[in-house]
């Protein structure tokens, strides 16, 4: 599925540890693949799932998660 204003293949290649989907309301979601986060990781600011109303914000959230990792 191609989202307006974004290339999902490029997004998946850039963030391979995440799965992407869009809700019926148009909200974009990314959720981590693999094992759930541990409490210490969550306390450090990592999130299992992030959401945004637009592609640019979603990418910024994912980049922030990479820095916190």
């Amino acid at each position: 599925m191609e989202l307006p204003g974004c290339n999902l293949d490029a997004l998946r290649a850039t963030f391979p540890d995440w799965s992407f989907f869009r809700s019926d309301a148009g909200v974009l979601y990314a959720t981590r693949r693999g094992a759930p986060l541990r409490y210490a990781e969550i306390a450090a600011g990592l999130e299992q799932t992030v959401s945004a109303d637009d592609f640019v914000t979603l990418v910024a959230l994912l980049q922030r998660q990479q820095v916190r990792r």
Side-chain angles (χ1 to χ4, degrees), residues 1 7-20 33:
M1 165 177 79
N7 179 324
L8 279 180
D9 289 334
L11 196 61
R12 288 180 181 119
T14 304
F15 302 101
D17 295 331
W18 295 81
S19 294
F20 300 94
R33 295 174 185 252

Side-chain angles (χ1 to χ4, degrees), residues 15 18 32 37-51 57-69:
F15 302 101
W18 295 81
R32 291 181 189 273
L37 295 173
R38 296 183 318 257
Y39 177 77
E41 293 171 314
I42 294 168
L46 294 177
E47 297 180 53
Q48 192 71 40
T49 301
V50 295
S51 65
T57 304
L58 184 66
V59 169
L61 289 170
L62 292 168
Q63 289 172 332
R64 199 171 308 142
Q65 288 293 298
Q66 283 185 319
V67 169
R68 289 183 177 159
R69 189 74 137 144

